[in-house]
């Protein structure tokens, strides 16, 4: 798994750097993207009401979902209301977030993912491990075996072109026979009611044009005020995510057009914790995220653990700040995520909308720690703070540790530590405390002695 | 110039040699060095691990201890980044306007050693000699929060006898991350394994950096593998005048 990931992230990392270097005013573009998002977020309620009015005017219907449960019910009711027991889907993390597929299957509605990587994940009964490359943890040989097993395909090679051909054949039939599609949205323009999906394979284009009914599920933070606001993001997004100058397919639609494309359009606006994120002055910048995955691709922790280790629909650095905020800090998986980082800052440097991920991580760590009962770590930290509060206490602690380390020191280093710190010495040596601390040496020097 | 040493708790307890090197280097360049013995720790470990009230106490102590300093120089990009970049956030989050004002002014005169030498003093040749094959690891906070850029490399290139070799994937984190290395030992070790491999690939005798915390981590990995490659803080190389350290 680590090898698959390293290969994929290293390749995309290098490509991204080249793609970004081509834009002379990349930094200004990042600032512009961040500023547009911030301005929209500060006026979110108004923008969403404008969006609703515009979508309605264009012949679509807007639905408001307070939480995942409401969103699932709305979508399932819509599918069945249109007399269908089958949907095709274009990759949408929001629908993963609300666990839509399982809910639809439970209501007897069969779901087919049409993004190649999503399809692979679905056929394997797996979960996505990357925002943009959901099957990044699988290599070609594994995918070939999967297609042979689940699609009955005869594959004498694991050439990507052949694998894609098998999937294409399978999906073409679905596109042409399924009456309802579910999509996500990258952006929606409030003033015109236009929804936008950006993708690479053309499956999204098929989903938003071929079926009779289109249901789009969109997080409320995806709205942009004006048509012109989309332009910087269409530069920032592809270069940051797939390292392309322009993504192959960008689809826009506004409501319905008689005789052309779906004849019914539903837009489900999903809150599911987002207004709470908005209320946190440090955390709210998280809602700028355009789901490009640049932070995952540069993250040394993600590279070694993979997306599943986060136990979250949103993996990597962005997931480590978004998931605990959406699911709230009392969620026992989510509230450990802010510590899944060395705070190296590579994610902040890569983020096209300048989300200061380390800052939000630290803020969330503080919030989680403040809310939990005191444990061993807490006692150690509070003790350390007490020692640091007075120089003589600190100096005393160094002296005491120097006495105590005796039996642990071998050849000037410590090779095994007890308790919490054992994780360090499992693979790493620790230098032993020297005979004198700096402050002792300094005092010697001031006293005119030889240091 | 009168320079106040901010030695950092880790250097004080574990790496006093780095402090001595700072003193001899700065004095050799004609400056007066002060060490206020009241100083202890900047509070980074507490703040970054989620103990913000405890950190805030140490922030206030630091501000108090260094109130009279003209310039503050530390052998740690990480601790300086904390003072300059995160003290204002700590003050802001605590809603303390007066502290915010104080830490902003404090941040303007707090420097990591290499940026102080190159950007403030305008010195690149510090008169050092160190006849060894050396590779340089840019630590995350110095590189990304302080943007010290090539200041350390400029200094190293002017050291007599020193053969500087480029570290592959230099900008990748070594996996230390303070308490991260204790809380997530497996991931931290996986990151360290790559860093140590890259260091060994250079064939360097010494890996240097501007932070003893990262060097302690990299050195801990190199030592466990009995690689024969050592770690030496940049300040010690710059203070050196020839003999092997």
């Amino acid at each position: 798994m680590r090898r698959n990931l390293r290969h994929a992230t290293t390749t995309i990392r290098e490509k991204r750097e080249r793609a970004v270097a081509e834009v002379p005013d990349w930094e200004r573009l990042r600032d512009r993207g961040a500023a547009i998002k911030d301005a929209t977020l500060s006026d979110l309620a108004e923008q969403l009401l404008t969006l609703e009015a515009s979508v309605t005017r264009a012949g679509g219907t807007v639905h408001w979902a307070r939480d995942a449960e409401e969103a699932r019910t709305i979508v399932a009711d819509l599918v069945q209301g249109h007399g269908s027991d089958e949907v095709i889907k274009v990759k949408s993390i929001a629908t993963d977030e609300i666990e839509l597929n399982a809910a639809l299957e439970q209501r007897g509605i069969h779901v087919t993912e049409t993004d190649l990587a999503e399809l692979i994940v679905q056929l394997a009964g797996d979960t996505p491990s990357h925002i943009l490359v959901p099957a990044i943890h699988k290599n070609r040989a594994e995918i070939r075996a999967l297609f042979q097993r689940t699609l009955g395909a005869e594959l004498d090679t694991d050439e990507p072109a052949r694998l894609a051909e098998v999937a294409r054949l399978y999906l073409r039939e679905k596109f042409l026979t399924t009456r309802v599609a579910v999509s996500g949205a990258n952006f929606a323009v409030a003033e015109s009611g236009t929804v936008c999906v950006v993708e690479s394979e053309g499956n999204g284009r098929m989903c938003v044009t071929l079926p009779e009914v289109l249901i789009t599920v969109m997080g409320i933070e995806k709205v942009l005020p004006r048509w012109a606001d989309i332009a910087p993001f269409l530069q920032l997004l592809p270069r940051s995510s797939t390292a392309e100058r322009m993504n192959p397919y960008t689809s826009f639609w506004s409501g319905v057009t008689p005789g052309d494309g779906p004849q019914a359009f539903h837009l489900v606006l999903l809150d599911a914790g987002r207004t709470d994120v908005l209320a946190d002055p440090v955390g709210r910048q998280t809602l700028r995220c355009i789901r490009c995955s640049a932070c995952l691709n540069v993250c040394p922790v993600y590279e070694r653990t993979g997306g599943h280790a986060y136990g979250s629909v949103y993996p990597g650095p962005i997931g480590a700040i978004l998931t605990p905020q959406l699911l709230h800090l009392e969620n026992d998986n989510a509230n450990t995520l802010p510590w899944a980082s060395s705070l190296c800052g590579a994610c902040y440097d890569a983020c096209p909308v300048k989300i200061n991920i380390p800052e939000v991580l630290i803020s969330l760590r503080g919030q989680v720690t403040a809310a939990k009962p005191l444990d061993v770590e807490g006692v150690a930290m509070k003790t350390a703070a007490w020692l640091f509060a007075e120089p003589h206490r600190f100096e005393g602690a160094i002296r005491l540790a120097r006495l105590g380390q005796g039996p642990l020191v071998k050849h000037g280093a410590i090779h095994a530590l007890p308790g919490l710190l054992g994780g360090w010495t499992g693979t790493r040596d620790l230098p032993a405390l020297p005979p004198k601390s700096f402050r002792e040496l300094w005092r010697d020097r001031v006293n005119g002695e030889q240091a | 110039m009168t320079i106040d040493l901010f030695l950092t708790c880790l250097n004080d307890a574990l790496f006093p040699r780095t402090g001595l090197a700072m003193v001899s280097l700065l004095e050799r360049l004609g400056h007066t060095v002060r060490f206020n013995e009241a100083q202890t720790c900047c509070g980074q470990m507490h703040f970054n691990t989620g103990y913000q009230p405890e950190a805030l106490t140490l922030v206030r102590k630091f501000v108090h201890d260094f109130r009279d300093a003209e310039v503050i120089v530390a052998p740690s990009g990480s601790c300086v980044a904390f003072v300059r970049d995160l003290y204002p956030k700590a003050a802001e989050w605590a809603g303390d306007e007066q502290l915010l004002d104080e830490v902003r002014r404090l941040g303007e005169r707090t420097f990591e050693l290499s940026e102080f030498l190159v950007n403030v003093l305008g010195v690149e040749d510090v008169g050092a000699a160190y006849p060894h094959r050396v590779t340089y690891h840019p630590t995350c906070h110095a590189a990304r929060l302080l943007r010290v850029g090539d200041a350390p490399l400029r200094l190293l290139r002017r050291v007599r006898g020193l053969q500087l070799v480029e570290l592959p994937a230099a900008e990748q984190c070594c996996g230390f991350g303070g308490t991260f290395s204790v809380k997530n030992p497996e991931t931290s070790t996986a990151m360290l394994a790559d860093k140590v491999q890259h260091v060994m690939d250079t064939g360097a005798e010494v890996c240097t950096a501007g932070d003893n915390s990262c060097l302690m981590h990299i050195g801990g990995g190199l030592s466990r593998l009995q690689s024969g490659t050592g770690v030496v803080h940049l300040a010690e190389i710059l203070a050196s005048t020839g003999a092997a350290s």
Side-chain angles (χ1 to χ4, degrees):
Chain A
M1 188 276 298
R2 228 171 238 176
R3 200 170 42 236
N4 295 349
L5 264 177
R6 163 145 342 158
H7 177 71
T9 54
T10 307
T11 309
I12 200 164
R13 195 148 58 204
E14 286 162 3
K15 269 180 70 187
R16 188 193 71 91
E17 269 173 31
R18 280 199 298 274
V20 162
E22 284 179 357
V23 184
D25 58 348
W26 183 252
E27 288 309 310
R28 271 178 47 207
L29 206 56
R30 285 175 81 200
D31 286 332
R32 175 126 181 74
I36 292 172
K37 279 282 185 182
D38 279 351
T40 313
L41 290 170
S42 67
D43 186 31
L44 190 59
E46 202 53 44
Q47 297 302 336
L48 289 169
L49 289 173
T50 307
L51 176 67
E52 181 182 34
S54 308
V55 169
T56 310
R57 204 164 45 236
T61 312
V62 172
H63 309 260
W64 300 80
R66 210 168 325 173
D67 53 27
E69 176 67 48
E70 271 191 16
R72 290 191 294 256
T73 308
I74 291 168
V75 176
D77 287 350
L78 284 170
V79 176
Q80 288 177 332
H82 283 283
S84 181
D85 60 359
E86 197 172 0
V87 299
I88 47 173
K89 274 184 65 202
V90 53
K91 185 167 70 176
S92 150
I93 321 171
T95 60
D96 287 340
E97 179 189 327
I98 62 169
E99 296 172 338
L100 181 65
N101 288 14
L104 292 180
E105 297 283 352
Q106 219 171 29
R107 295 259 301 250
I109 302 163
H110 182 66
V111 179
T112 305
E113 292 288 351
T114 65
D115 172 89
L116 178 54
E118 282 283 348
L119 176 67
I120 291 165
V121 166
Q122 189 186 32
L123 291 174
D126 208 346
T127 50
S129 62
H130 188 282
I131 291 175
L132 207 82
V133 197
I136 197 169
H137 55 290
K138 292 207 183 303
N139 63 30
R140 279 151 45 178
E142 289 164 343
I143 293 165
R144 175 188 167 206
L146 176 72
F147 281 179
Q148 283 175 322
R149 197 176 75 240
T150 55
L151 301 180
E154 280 180 28
L155 281 160
D156 43 19
T157 163
D158 58 11
E159 279 300 306
R162 270 291 288 147
L163 295 175
E165 196 183 323
V166 167
R168 190 178 296 126
L169 217 60
Y170 172 77
L171 287 173
R172 276 287 150 86
E173 198 202 320
K174 295 284 177 194
F175 287 130
L176 294 169
T177 56
T178 311
R179 292 175 44 231
V180 181
V182 175
S183 89
N186 289 93
F187 311 101
V189 179
E191 67 175 4
S192 60
T194 307
V195 181
C196 170
V197 156
V198 168
E199 37 120 16
S200 298
E201 296 171 11
N203 61 308
R205 175 71 53 91
M206 301 266 205
C207 282
V208 304
T209 51
L210 288 175
E212 296 162 25
V213 180
L214 174 60
I215 305 166
T216 298
V217 181
M218 179 188 108
I220 52 172
E221 78 281 17
K222 299 281 175 121
V223 67
L224 295 172
R226 288 163 299 273
W227 179 249
D229 294 327
I230 286 193
F233 294 105
L234 290 185
Q235 290 177 273
L236 287 166
L237 182 56
R239 285 182 199 264
S240 301
S241 55
T242 48
E244 293 166 302
R245 291 174 178 147
M246 177 105 214
N247 48 282
Y249 296 89
T250 305
S251 303
F252 293 105
W253 67 96
S254 310
V256 293
T257 309
D260 182 15
Q263 295 303 294
F265 170 59
H266 299 274
L267 180 62
V268 181
L269 294 174
L270 177 71
D271 184 331
R274 285 162 175 77
T275 46
D276 298 331
V277 184
L278 201 60
D280 183 323
V282 180
R284 83 163 11 180
Q285 59 186 309
T286 313
L287 296 180
R288 285 185 206 149
C289 176
I290 54 173
R291 313 282 188 260
C292 71
S293 78
C295 62
L296 279 75
N297 300 328
V298 299
C299 178
V301 173
Y302 177 86
E303 184 181 317
R304 270 98 184 169
T305 61
H308 291 132
Y310 292 81
S312 141
V313 175
Y314 300 96
I318 189 64
I321 61 170
L322 183 57
T323 301
Q325 293 189 85
L326 289 180
L327 299 184
H328 298 109
L329 296 171
E330 49 278 10
N331 180 295
D332 277 336
N333 171 52
N335 68 19
T336 63
L337 291 176
W339 280 272
S341 166
S342 67
L343 303 179
C344 81
C347 50
Y348 181 23
D349 269 7
C351 179
V353 287
K354 289 196 169 173
I355 301 170
N356 189 337
I357 295 177
E359 176 190 2
V360 181
L361 287 169
I362 294 170
S363 166
L364 293 173
R365 289 176 182 190
Q367 292 176 37
V368 175
T369 305
K372 75 172 184 191
L374 197 62
D375 57 6
V376 183
E377 180 196 277
V379 171
M381 283 290 175
K382 281 175 198 288
T383 308
W386 181 81
L387 292 172
F388 286 137
E390 291 289 341
H392 66 87
R393 287 183 201 151
F394 176 47
E395 189 169 341
I398 297 174
R399 286 171 194 268
L400 206 63
R402 207 182 283 147
L403 288 173
Q405 74 177 357
L408 299 171
V409 178
K410 230 183 244 173
H411 310 297
I414 296 170
H415 308 277
L417 276 173
L420 281 182
L421 301 171
W424 171 284
T425 47
T427 51
R428 298 158 283 207
D429 293 338
L430 202 63
L433 286 163
K436 284 191 177 185
S437 65
F438 179 79
R439 63 185 62 231
E440 290 170 298
L441 292 169
W442 178 266
R443 226 172 282 140
D444 291 348
R445 191 175 190 269
V446 172
N447 293 339
E449 293 173 30
Q450 194 62 37
Chain B
M1 192 184 293
T2 300
I3 297 162
D4 262 71
L5 270 192
F6 158 34
L7 204 72
T8 87
C9 56
L10 187 81
N11 286 300
D12 189 359
L14 265 175
F15 305 100
R17 281 189 357 189
T18 300
L20 294 181
M22 291 263 292
V23 175
S24 79
L25 170 66
L26 293 169
E27 287 182 346
R28 194 171 75 213
L29 294 173
H31 302 282
T32 307
V33 179
R34 296 198 307 188
F35 176 74
N36 178 358
E37 286 191 46
Q39 66 178 278
T40 55
C41 168
C42 62
Q44 177 176 203
M45 175 179 76
H46 288 89
F47 196 72
N48 284 357
T49 312
Y51 295 84
Q52 284 149 18
E54 288 77 12
L56 208 58
T57 310
L58 296 172
V59 171
R60 293 209 167 92
K61 173 171 162 43
F62 188 95
V63 170
H64 181 262
D65 292 341
F66 287 96
R67 190 162 278 157
D68 302 328
E70 184 187 348
V71 287
I72 304 159
V73 181
S76 165
S78 185
C79 301
V80 169
F82 183 56
V83 171
R84 205 188 293 166
D85 191 66
L86 283 169
Y87 269 22
K89 299 213 188 293
E92 219 172 279
W93 297 354
D96 191 333
E97 286 291 327
Q98 195 200 332
L99 183 65
L100 178 63
D101 189 48
E102 282 183 292
V103 295
R104 276 194 184 137
R105 279 185 283 125
L106 186 80
E108 285 168 14
R109 48 187 217 277
T110 307
F111 301 95
E112 181 270 340
L113 178 65
S114 71
E115 59 169 7
F116 178 70
L117 294 171
V118 174
N119 301 340
V120 180
L121 297 182
V123 183
E124 289 183 14
D125 185 347
V126 295
Y130 193 78
H132 297 283
R133 189 175 164 89
V134 175
T135 194
Y136 170 76
H137 165 64
T139 61
C140 297
H141 289 178
R144 299 204 178 89
L145 291 177
L146 298 180
R147 307 272 176 208
V148 302
D150 64 351
L153 295 172
R154 287 177 179 216
L155 291 159
L156 286 168
R157 283 192 201 111
R158 304 293 285 271
V159 174
R160 283 152 198 81
L162 187 146
Q163 187 194 352
L164 188 63
V165 281
E166 198 183 328
L167 182 66
E171 74 295 340
Q172 278 246 342
C173 177
C174 73
F176 175 60
T179 48
F180 171 78
S181 59
V182 177
K183 289 172 90 96
N184 302 283
E186 285 174 25
T187 311
S188 168
T189 295
M191 291 159 73
L192 176 64
D194 288 350
K195 181 59 70 181
V196 165
Q197 190 56 52
H198 288 140
V199 170
M200 292 194 295
D201 287 347
T202 65
E205 296 160 71
V206 164
C207 173
T208 191
D211 262 289
N212 270 327
S213 51
C214 312
L215 285 178
M216 177 175 78
H217 193 233
I218 297 168
L222 288 166
S223 157
R224 182 59 56 95
L225 293 175
Q226 301 184 308
S227 67
T229 304
V231 292
V232 175
H233 192 282
L234 181 68
E236 291 168 57
I237 292 180
L238 298 180
S240 172
T241 48
S245 65

